[in-house]
Amino acid sequence: MHPAASYNGPVGVGVDLGSSSVRVGAYSLENDSLLHVVERPVRYYSCGSSGRFTQSTGEIMAALQECLDELGLRPGGRSIASCGVAATCSMAVFAVEAGGGSLEPLDVSGLDGSSDKNVVFWMDSVASEACGALNKRLGTHVKAALCGGFIPEMGVPKLLHLVGQFPSRSLEVFDLHKYIAYDLARRYGWDTVPLANRPNSNGIGHDGEVGGWPQAFYQNVLKLPATAAVGPVSTFKGQRVGIASCIDCYASWFGVCSAQPEQSLFLVAGTSTCYLYASATSKTVVPGVWGPFTNLLDGEQARWSVYEAGQSTTGRLLEHLFETHPAARDYAGDAGRLFKDLENRIAGMEADSGCSIHHLARHMFLYGELQGNRTPYADPRMCGMFVGETTDTSFANLALKYVVVLEFLAFQTRQIVEGFRTGAAAAIGELRVAGSQAKNRRLLSLMSLVNGNMPVRVPARAASLAGVRGAYLLGKSRYLDVSLLDVVRKPGATIPTVEVTESSNYPACGATKENLRRLLEAKYAIHLDMAQVQQRYRSEIDAVVAQ
């Protein structure tokens, strides 16, 4: 029998739905100890070449219920005192049936024979046209808070596209994290009133998701027809349970949050990367950064502002390199062996040449946006550029390109840090990193180096459970009716972090740290220029085509 089943005190639950799995943890509300955690896979689907990616709420909830059952937390059984839910920034879509008003999953895949793929996945990119049309009618308040406008990955343009795709259907849509919390509440008989869609204090939905906007925005800007609504529309009284939900990047932040959040910039670095910062003093817009967002850290008090930046393809950029480079073909499905062999090859190349690997890659330049830019440009047309291509397909060439990808990720992090520091975040003194990229010590050391040797901290243990713990802490804050910051500042509430020590490769053999710093400084200037150059190229061609 696992500890959750035998524990007699009040239990809090944390749910963390990522792109391909769901984790559920049971915690003691008395001392925040993890009783047990269970994980199940959850699929997402690529719908051909259309750019549409989907999931199924049926499959998600079945996997989630399996986890809860294994924890001994079945409906009608062991009581749950609090529940926090985190999920990707995806959208669940339902048709409202005539008469009874029941919700039925509405397939959005466009594939014949599919019936239950009713989630517009975060990676979905089909809303580009709707996004462009929407941005033309935004007011300055929304534009400023979203770095110039919505991007196609966000929920609001996806909703606008959806309404055009199903003009004759009555629709109710949810941010995926809100739907999961709502469906759990229905199953367990909890009060759903706290989950009703309400505008945030400053009238801006977090990360451009579909909830959190004032009614005037839905009616006058988004121009939603009467047949479309943001759920949950119907709420009901039930057992009082501390329940709340959020996008998954926020939960990972909560799980390792500093007691002084104004001193840290937090990175959730996985397939994509989100950068999060909180300020108790700033309420102003920061150019090149999303926000301020309210009601995240302290509920209705809304004293704390949250700012966010993002990169769409970070871990995905490495995956793309390994999927397309001929020298990586023999490593399919064995990323651990590939990374180990890359580090060994880099060490050998440095030993043979007496030079840093960055010196060997000095004439390779990458701008690695593969799915548009979130911040600071908010430009879905940004794409990849590479200078230095030859006919070389050796493993040594793969190692050089791998290092250049890491340079791009570190440079983009520096660009984002500089953007934060020009506005609300001058006090940033450290980076905190969670997610799969927190395992890459070479990348973390490079991030530190290009950011003036800024300390980089990662979870000291249980890094994969940062989202689960953060979701649990969010639910606990609602259970206690206190701010989330009050909860995370309690000793032992969050996962402890440890500073990443400087890699032995920085400086590498034959290179002083100052020489390496000057080389990377020059390449950072080229990184910024490459972004400007591709934007200029597109503008020049667009002007010709428009004549």
Side-chain angles (χ1 to χ4, degrees):
M1 180 181 294
H2 57 69
S6 58
Y7 177 70
N8 294 320
V11 172
V13 169
V15 176
D16 181 27
L17 173 67
S19 294
S20 55
S21 67
V22 60
R23 294 186 179 97
V24 182
Y27 291 82
S28 162
L29 280 165
E30 295 176 328
N31 59 19
D32 298 325
S33 62
L34 175 64
L35 302 173
H36 197 60
V37 65
V38 181
E39 181 176 5
R40 291 289 186 276
V42 176
R43 289 189 62 187
Y44 69 87
Y45 301 88
S46 174
C47 304
S49 59
S50 65
R52 169 125 289 177
F53 290 84
T54 64
Q55 283 183 310
S56 161
T57 56
E59 293 178 4
I60 291 169
M61 296 309 300
L64 174 52
Q65 192 62 61
E66 282 185 21
C67 294
L68 289 166
D69 290 349
E70 185 172 331
L71 290 168
L73 300 172
R74 297 177 178 83
R78 172 67 183 274
S79 178
I80 297 172
S82 72
C83 180
V85 175
T88 62
C89 46
S90 304
M91 182 174 65
V93 183
F94 296 86
V96 182
E97 297 303 310
S102 61
L103 302 181
E104 295 296 331
L106 179 64
D107 179 69
V108 296
S109 68
L111 300 177
D112 293 337
S114 177
S115 60
D116 63 348
K117 295 178 178 62
N118 66 316
V119 174
V120 182
F121 194 51
W122 71 267
M123 204 183 296
D124 187 281
S125 61
V126 301
S128 295
E129 185 175 337
C131 186
L134 175 61
N135 284 339
K136 291 178 181 178
R137 55 181 189 255
L138 291 181
T140 56
H141 175 59
V142 176
K143 276 189 174 182
L146 296 178
C147 196
F150 290 97
I151 60 172
E153 289 179 39
M154 291 176 171
V156 168
K158 288 175 178 176
L159 172 56
L160 186 61
H161 175 84
L162 187 75
V163 170
Q165 184 181 357
F166 298 100
S168 61
R169 303 298 297 267
S170 293
L171 304 175
E172 186 169 344
V173 303
F174 298 73
D175 293 306
L176 182 56
H177 62 83
K178 183 68 71 71
Y179 173 74
I180 294 171
Y182 181 69
D183 196 18
L184 284 174
R186 289 193 301 178
R187 294 176 183 219
Y188 284 80
W190 302 335
D191 188 357
T192 64
V193 174
L195 299 174
N197 181 31
R198 298 180 180 86
N200 294 319
S201 296
N202 67 346
I204 302 294
H206 303 149
D207 297 27
E209 65 180 1
V210 298
W213 300 89
Q215 196 61 34
F217 175 82
Y218 296 119
Q219 294 175 347
N220 303 332
V221 180
L222 195 52
K223 298 185 185 299
L224 280 187
T227 54
V230 176
V233 172
S234 298
T235 59
F236 50 85
K237 290 285 188 178
Q239 178 188 356
R240 185 192 176 281
V241 167
I243 186 164
S245 67
C246 67
I247 298 171
D248 56 347
C249 66
Y250 290 107
S252 294
W253 180 30
F254 304 156
V256 295
C257 187
S258 167
Q260 292 82 36
E262 289 178 297
Q263 298 177 9
S264 300
L265 180 64
F266 181 70
L267 286 68
V268 190
T271 304
S272 60
T273 298
C274 298
Y275 298 76
L276 298 161
Y277 179 76
S279 173
T281 57
S282 175
K283 305 293 181 184
T284 60
V285 167
V286 178
V289 173
W290 296 341
F293 301 129
T294 58
N295 307 90
L296 274 161
L297 295 179
D298 52 2
E300 297 304 315
Q301 299 175 39
R303 291 183 295 103
W304 283 81
S305 297
V306 171
Y307 295 86
E308 182 175 1
Q311 301 164 267
S312 294
T313 47
T314 55
R316 182 70 187 94
L317 183 58
L318 287 168
E319 291 173 3
H320 178 75
L321 172 65
F322 299 152
E323 290 166 358
T324 57
H325 199 289
R329 289 173 182 163
D330 293 340
Y331 293 86
D334 195 352
R337 182 168 66 94
L338 176 55
F339 279 109
K340 181 179 180 181
D341 286 357
L342 281 170
E343 287 298 329
N344 289 336
R345 179 57 63 91
I346 290 169
M349 293 168 70
E350 290 184 327
D352 292 343
S353 66
C355 296
S356 161
I357 190 67
H358 296 282
H359 182 79
L360 298 177
R362 64 192 180 279
H363 292 148
M364 287 182 169
F365 310 98
L366 172 71
Y367 190 84
E369 302 273 27
L370 302 187
Q371 289 181 295
N373 176 268
R374 294 179 183 174
T375 60
Y377 306 114
D379 185 352
R381 300 194 301 174
M382 296 296 283
C383 56
M385 304 167 64
F386 182 74
V387 177
E389 191 66 84
T390 68
T391 58
D392 187 357
T393 59
S394 67
F395 196 83
N397 178 260
L398 174 62
L400 291 172
K401 287 183 174 177
Y402 167 68
V403 167
V404 173
V405 168
L406 300 190
E407 288 179 352
F408 168 74
L409 298 179
F411 292 155
Q412 203 167 42
T413 295
R414 173 174 167 179
Q415 185 179 5
I416 287 171
V417 169
E418 290 177 348
F420 274 103
R421 280 181 161 168
T422 60
I428 290 176
E430 66 175 17
L431 303 176
R432 291 195 173 209
V433 185
S436 58
Q437 292 177 56
K439 303 173 185 176
N440 192 323
R441 290 302 193 264
R442 179 177 290 276
L443 172 60
L444 300 179
S445 296
L446 189 58
M447 283 182 176
S448 174
L449 185 61
V450 303
N451 282 285
N453 297 315
M454 182 183 292
V456 176
R457 303 186 68 86
V458 297
R461 54 175 172 78
S464 64
L465 300 183
V468 178
R469 178 169 282 271
Y472 154 71
L473 294 173
L474 177 63
K476 180 179 180 179
S477 72
R478 297 300 188 270
Y479 168 74
L480 297 176
D481 196 22
V482 299
S483 82
L484 180 62
L485 280 179
D486 289 337
V487 173
V488 301
R489 284 170 168 163
K490 178 184 175 184
T494 60
I495 296 172
T497 60
V498 53
E499 185 173 344
V500 176
T501 56
E502 187 175 274
S503 168
S504 59
N505 292 305
Y506 300 109
C509 53
T512 68
K513 191 168 186 177
E514 180 59 22
N515 288 340
L516 180 57
R517 188 198 66 78
R518 287 200 300 266
L519 171 62
L520 293 173
E521 192 70 24
K523 294 193 80 170
Y524 176 63
I526 293 170
H527 161 85
L528 298 177
D529 185 63
M530 290 177 78
Q532 296 168 0
V533 163
Q534 70 162 278
Q535 290 175 313
R536 177 168 61 83
Y537 285 174
R538 276 194 296 271
S539 296
E540 291 175 358
I541 295 301
D542 288 347
V544 171
V545 172
Q547 290 177 356

